[in-house]
Amino acid sequence: MMEEMIIDRLRAIVGPSNVTTEYEDLLCYAYDATFRESLPAVVVKPRSTEEISLIMRLANEYKIPVVPRGAGTGLSGGSVPLKGGICLVLTRLNRILSIDKENRVAVVEPGVITDDFHAVTEQMGLFYPPDPASGKTSTMGGNIAECAGGARGVKYGVTKDYVLGLEVVLPQGDVITVGNPIDGETGDYDYPLLFTGSEGTLGIITKIMVRLIPLPPYKETVLAIYDQLEAAGETVSTMIKQGVIPTTLEIADHATINAVENYLAIGLPTDAQAFLLIEVDGIKDEVVRQIAIVEETCRRFGAVSIKVARTKEEIDKLWLARRSISGACGKISPTKISEDATVPRSKIPEMIKKVREIAEKYGIKMVIFGHAGDGNLHPNVLTDKRNKEEMARVEEAVAELFQATVEMGGTLSGEHGIGYMKAPFLKWETGETGYQVMKAIKKQLDPHNILNPGKMFTD
Ligand SMILES: Cc1cc2nc3c(=O)[nH]c(=O)nc-3n(C[C@H](O)[C@H](O)[C@H](O)COP(=O)(O)OP(=O)(O)OC[C@H]3O[C@@H](n4cnc5c(N)ncnc54)[C@H](O)[C@@H]3O)c2cc1C
């Protein structure tokens, strides 16, 4: 319960219609795309940097937790209000402020939907490559806070590679602008990188300056079907070694293919053990040359069927299967725990083997699909959170998966962030000193630990 006086002050800052404490409303903001729920005390929807600054000053005065929230599609639990407090919804800051075609930079507010931004830039012949599969819903602010990746990461990198500057409201209410919209170069520390991927623990992102590139003129997509998952994994490692630079290189295993086919009935072979979806974009002649190498490599590793799509309609049809995976898995089990532990690309075959061993050892259902070109296999556990005994086995399996990832030189988070879900394991990756440095930065900026407590750090 939050004191009525504080609620009144919040109403005075953002207007009464943008504050709610109704139970039904709170429930809508108690969860994200993970499985844990925790009610905020109040939901507040500001419209400007100034309002957010005032809210943070108030929260500091009374030591109230504040959880920034975009669309709530996070897969590590970043926007779940674990300690109650204020759920700060940023979707009303939703304007594209400028797109400078000549200098190829754009300035947007954090509540802009990712795919809306893609559509606007692409109409102008410009390209913003980060493309989380949640792009129809996720916000640019959430993407920056999680350093989102996506299928195109293998060629174009992830969100941090496009952030030039940010406006940030710091936990105590001060506002700073870091980086710049020209080339991101400044004489100070590389602050945009500090806030990108900080998961709402260091500041609230209120303006975003990003780099754009020219829209590639041509692309082709290949769907290769395999009767062995390992062979698909070997194809990925070999293709990268051969110097092919695919725009996307997605993998899906037997269970995933079946889930999608049951869901969509689009004629995927249900006895197939894996598919690879490979796209190459750029100048037409070069695309054609690289696609020939792709086809040859797929064939060499025993692909049983290879389809090449060239028109937009054909390409969209091939992508339908990949885009439907999350929904399809949701039909199999009520709880999907989506891991994005990522290994060096040369270790993909080893990781595939490990995931299968772990699933068998703990007797759990795990499917593999993801951005294999980045070394990101997305092992997804399909379970039911109401089954306490199975959830205990899932927890042990996930810990073993993380251990294997770190041992192979990988990372706990290819793109989904640490949130509350991976916080207990963060030290395995950072080491004690790295962890303490991160904590020191957090403490300096947020001495009362009011901004998104319980995320990234467990203590
Ligand atoms: C079906 C599905 C597919 C997905 N595919 C991908 C994928 O391919 N690649 C990928 O990277 N992710 C993917 N995700 C995960 C998720 O969509 C991303 O992490 C996305 O960036 C979250 O955006 P959001 O607006 O939903 O943020 P939220 O979930 O609301 O918040 C995420 C985190 O960001 C913080 N935050 C939000 N806005 C701000 C702000 N303005 N300032 C400071 N902190 C803020 C929150 O506190 C929280 O810690 C997927 C999720 C789903 C459900």
Side-chain angles (χ1 to χ4, degrees), residues 9-24:
R9 283 183 63 183
L10 288 168
R11 287 192 186 108
I13 296 170
V14 296
S17 61
N18 295 308
V19 176
T20 177
T21 54
E22 293 296 323
Y23 176 72
E24 291 78 0

Side-chain angles (χ1 to χ4, degrees), residues 5-259:
M5 175 274 294
I6 292 171
I7 311 274
D8 281 342
R9 283 183 63 183
L10 288 168
R11 287 192 186 108
I13 296 170
V14 296
S17 61
N18 295 308
V19 176
T20 177
T21 54
E22 293 296 323
Y23 176 72
E24 291 78 0
D25 293 332
L26 301 184
L27 208 53
C28 296
Y29 295 93
Y31 63 92
D32 64 359
T34 58
F35 55 88
R36 200 155 154 190
E37 284 174 29
S38 176
L39 285 181
V42 58
V43 176
V44 183
K45 297 183 178 176
R47 178 73 185 92
S48 68
T49 305
E50 295 68 34
E51 290 176 2
I52 294 170
S53 167
L54 291 171
I55 294 166
M56 290 316 299
R57 290 195 195 288
L58 177 65
N60 255 284
E61 200 181 323
Y62 293 95
K63 317 281 181 290
I64 303 164
V66 178
V67 182
R69 183 182 176 98
T73 66
L75 287 170
S76 55
S79 60
V80 180
L82 291 184
K83 315 252 163 160
I86 299 171
C87 171
L88 192 74
V89 180
L90 294 150
T91 48
R92 290 180 68 228
L93 280 83
N94 60 359
R95 290 173 303 169
I96 295 176
L97 298 173
S98 64
I99 298 180
D100 176 349
K101 194 168 176 180
E102 211 174 322
N103 291 303
R104 292 208 289 262
V105 293
V107 184
V108 303
E109 291 184 329
V112 170
I113 304 291
T114 316
D115 278 0
D116 290 351
F117 184 55
H118 283 141
V120 172
T121 49
E122 283 170 30
Q123 267 168 13
M124 297 171 74
L126 295 167
F127 190 34
Y128 176 68
D131 64 334
S134 52
K136 272 198 175 66
T137 328
S138 72
T139 64
M140 291 292 284
N143 293 176
I144 307 291
E146 294 288 15
C147 189
R152 298 194 283 240
V154 54
K155 176 168 179 180
Y156 291 105
V158 296
T159 298
K160 71 176 165 52
D161 299 308
Y162 295 86
V163 179
L164 294 170
L166 298 171
E167 179 187 82
V168 181
V169 177
L170 295 174
Q172 289 171 297
D174 299 322
V175 182
I176 52 167
T177 300
V178 296
N180 70 50
I182 308 304
D183 58 5
E185 285 297 322
T186 55
D188 50 15
Y189 288 156
D190 199 342
Y191 289 120
L193 268 186
L194 176 65
F195 290 102
T196 305
S198 65
E199 304 187 21
T201 62
L202 297 182
I204 297 158
I205 296 152
T206 45
K207 251 180 225 134
I208 300 163
M209 296 155 223
V210 290
R211 180 201 321 277
L212 302 169
I213 59 176
L215 190 64
Y218 185 72
K219 64 182 170 191
E220 289 190 13
T221 304
V222 172
L223 179 71
I225 308 274
Y226 289 81
D227 55 16
Q228 266 194 330
L229 178 60
E230 288 76 6
E234 295 285 356
T235 310
V236 173
S237 300
T238 306
M239 214 161 357
I240 301 286
K241 251 188 266 164
Q242 281 174 317
V244 175
I245 307 176
T247 314
T248 63
L249 213 174
E250 300 285 297
I251 197 165
D253 70 357
H254 172 72
T256 311
I257 293 173
N258 276 272

